[in-house]
Amino acid sequence: MITFVLIAVTVLVSWQAFEKRRLYERLVLWPPGVQRFRQYDRLLTHGFVHADWMHLLFNMITLYFFGRAVENVFSQLVGPGMFLLFYLSAIVVAILPSYLRHRNDSGYVSLGASGAVSAVLFAFVLVDPWNWIIVFVVPVPAVVYAIAYVGYSYWMDKRGGDNINHSAHLSGAIYGLLFMLLMEPRVGLLFLERLASPRGPGFFG
């Protein structure tokens, strides 16, 4: 249920921001807005705004497929409310390295739910590493995708030039893993067991 609410709110806010430029400019992460005007809410609101419909669609499809499964795990372990806290905090934590790096850059803008979606995706990988993920219609084991994703994001973050915040992807991925392990340390043992036994039952069956 929480996953569907997050998707609905993100689509609604992004759609309104597409139509209203002033709303878009107020919600995106713009460092001077945080540092100079104390608009700290931008650290959260940027996660509900997207560059275009394709950007929004990609993030929301990913959240739809993996958010429901991870929300179910949270519900079993600690209750559904914790998943909401996890997602919202992931938006903030994922953007902090980028914000600190660009806090004096008045021309820098960042937006999108990618950091939080990365956290959800990697939480999924941790509890069921051999489950299949469809990447451009090609099925790939989640753990293999995770390794490739981290490597690619790190390389592109160093290279730059494509207007995608790969740093937030990496930060979100790390946060997703750490949050799960701190919330329920036994998940780490489950991960190792599943890693050693690809054909064994996963958390999701």
Side-chain angles (χ1 to χ4, degrees):
M1 182 64 183
I2 292 175
T3 299
F4 289 114
V5 171
L6 287 170
I7 291 173
V9 171
T10 304
V11 170
L12 177 61
V13 174
S14 293
W15 169 51
Q16 288 299 302
F18 293 154
E19 301 292 326
K20 302 172 183 177
R21 185 67 185 181
R22 290 185 63 182
L23 178 64
Y24 167 90
E25 292 175 348
R26 177 59 184 83
L27 297 181
V28 298
L29 179 69
W30 180 53
V34 178
Q35 192 165 338
R36 192 183 310 162
F37 301 109
R38 303 182 184 279
Q39 296 169 341
Y40 301 114
D41 57 290
R42 289 179 182 268
L43 293 169
L44 178 64
T45 58
H46 79 276
F48 293 91
V49 186
H50 288 76
D52 51 43
W53 284 108
M54 186 60 66
H55 185 205
L56 173 64
L57 183 64
F58 180 81
N59 276 335
M60 293 303 99
I61 288 177
T62 305
L63 180 58
Y64 172 78
F65 282 114
F66 299 106
R68 293 175 301 154
V70 175
E71 181 183 345
N72 182 53
V73 173
F74 274 77
S75 296
Q76 293 181 44
L77 295 176
V78 292
M82 186 62 74
F83 178 74
L84 179 61
L85 175 62
F86 168 62
Y87 185 86
L88 296 179
S89 62
I91 294 176
V92 178
V93 173
I95 201 62
L96 283 179
S98 298
Y99 166 69
L100 293 174
R101 186 191 307 175
H102 297 280
R103 62 184 179 276
N104 297 316
D105 183 359
S106 61
Y108 179 81
V109 170
S110 188
L111 71 167
S114 300
V117 171
S118 291
V120 171
L121 175 60
F122 274 73
F124 177 92
V125 170
L126 188 61
V127 296
D128 206 349
W130 293 111
N131 210 321
W132 294 98
I133 291 178
I134 305 301
V135 182
F136 300 114
V137 308
V138 178
V140 178
V143 67
V144 174
Y145 174 78
I147 294 171
Y149 181 91
V150 168
Y152 175 76
S153 294
Y154 180 80
W155 177 61
M156 289 302 296
D157 183 49
K158 295 300 182 183
R159 180 184 178 187
D162 64 352
N163 294 320
I164 297 175
N165 192 346
H166 295 283
S167 173
H169 295 176
L170 286 171
S171 301
I174 294 171
Y175 183 70
L177 296 176
L178 292 178
F179 193 102
M180 287 294 293
L181 290 171
L182 290 172
M183 180 186 69
E184 179 49 80
R186 289 178 298 177
V187 170
L189 295 177
L190 173 66
F191 172 76
L192 294 176
E193 290 174 3
R194 285 287 291 133
L195 206 59
S197 180
R199 295 185 180 180
F203 202 106
F204 305 118

